[in-house]
């Protein structure tokens, strides 16, 4: 007599990781010093950066350069392969005017600065940092302060040529 051992049903695929990212509203004519807020889950740049880059709007184009605070992030190579392209990583000392910021560069399209919320921040602290960075409490904003919203990581981004730095798709 042959007995068969029942096998467990296949496990469903894991959902895409959530990226806590909130971008500044687009359409404003005034230049912004912060284009968004990113709240990574850890300081592991090799794990967190590809997820964040995949969640950016396609209008930002292909990000080929990223500058981060050298002291704030784990060790990382000088470049990494993300979404079928090379992204150069630059580690620099934190500026006293921008203590924890990530700068994204897209050739021909521009530069975007993201304020980084420390991974171990509480929900309340993240909401306050986001409000301060994005001016969420300005008159007419109509919303209380909130932390970066989780979004699912998107697939590879297309190349769209926007008219300028002020043309960004909202992500919340």
């Amino acid at each position: 007599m042959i007995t068969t051992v029942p096998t467990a049903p296949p496990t469903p695929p894991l959902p895409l990781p959530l990226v806590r990212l909130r971008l500044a509203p687009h359409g404003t004519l005034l230049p912004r010093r912060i284009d968004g807020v990113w709240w990574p889950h850890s300081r592991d740049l090799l794990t967190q950066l590809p997820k964040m880059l995949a969640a950016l709007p396609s209008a930002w184009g292909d990000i080929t350069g990223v500058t981060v605070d050298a002291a704030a992030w784990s060790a990382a190579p000088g470049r990494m392969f993300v979404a079928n392209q090379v992204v150069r990583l630059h580690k620099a000392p934190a500026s006293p005017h921008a203590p924890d910021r990530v700068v994204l560069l897209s050739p021909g399209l521009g530069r975007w600065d993201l304020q980084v919320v420390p991974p171990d921040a509480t929900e309340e602290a993240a909401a306050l940092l986001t409000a301060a960075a994005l001016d969420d409490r300005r008159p007419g904003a109509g919303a209380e302060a909130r932390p970066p919203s989780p979004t699912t990581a998107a697939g590879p981004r297309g190349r769209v040529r926007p008219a300028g730095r002020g043309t960004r798709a909202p992500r919340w």
Side-chain angles (χ1 to χ4, degrees):
M1 174 177 207
I2 298 176
T3 58
T4 59
V5 177
T7 59
T11 57
L14 294 174
L16 291 173
L18 296 180
V19 175
R20 297 179 293 192
L21 178 66
R22 184 139 177 250
L23 302 181
H26 71 288
T28 177
L29 297 176
L30 299 174
R32 301 187 67 88
R33 59 183 183 89
I34 293 292
D35 296 297
V37 177
W38 176 38
W39 185 14
H41 293 278
S42 74
R43 289 289 184 174
D44 181 0
L45 195 58
L46 292 176
T47 302
Q48 299 299 307
L49 186 62
K51 295 173 188 175
M52 185 268 289
L53 291 177
L56 293 175
S58 61
W60 285 25
D62 293 327
I63 303 298
T64 60
V66 177
T67 302
V68 298
D69 174 7
W73 294 93
S74 63
R79 59 185 164 196
M80 59 192 297
F81 200 61
V82 178
N84 296 323
Q85 71 179 40
V86 174
V87 176
R88 296 194 187 285
L89 300 176
H90 307 279
K91 288 189 149 192
S95 161
H97 305 292
D100 204 357
R101 195 173 285 187
V102 171
V103 177
L104 308 173
L105 300 173
S106 179
L109 293 178
R111 164 188 168 153
W112 291 273
D113 292 12
L114 300 178
Q115 179 73 38
V116 178
V117 174
D120 58 352
T122 64
E123 185 98 10
E124 295 80 23
L128 290 173
L129 288 169
T130 301
L134 298 179
D135 262 341
D136 278 354
R137 294 181 185 247
R138 70 189 183 283
E144 62 186 59
R146 59 188 186 272
S149 309
T151 61
T152 56
R157 296 169 289 115
R159 300 188 82 182
V160 176
R161 302 275 179 200
R165 183 177 167 123
T167 54
R168 292 184 296 278
R171 269 300 207 191
W172 50 77

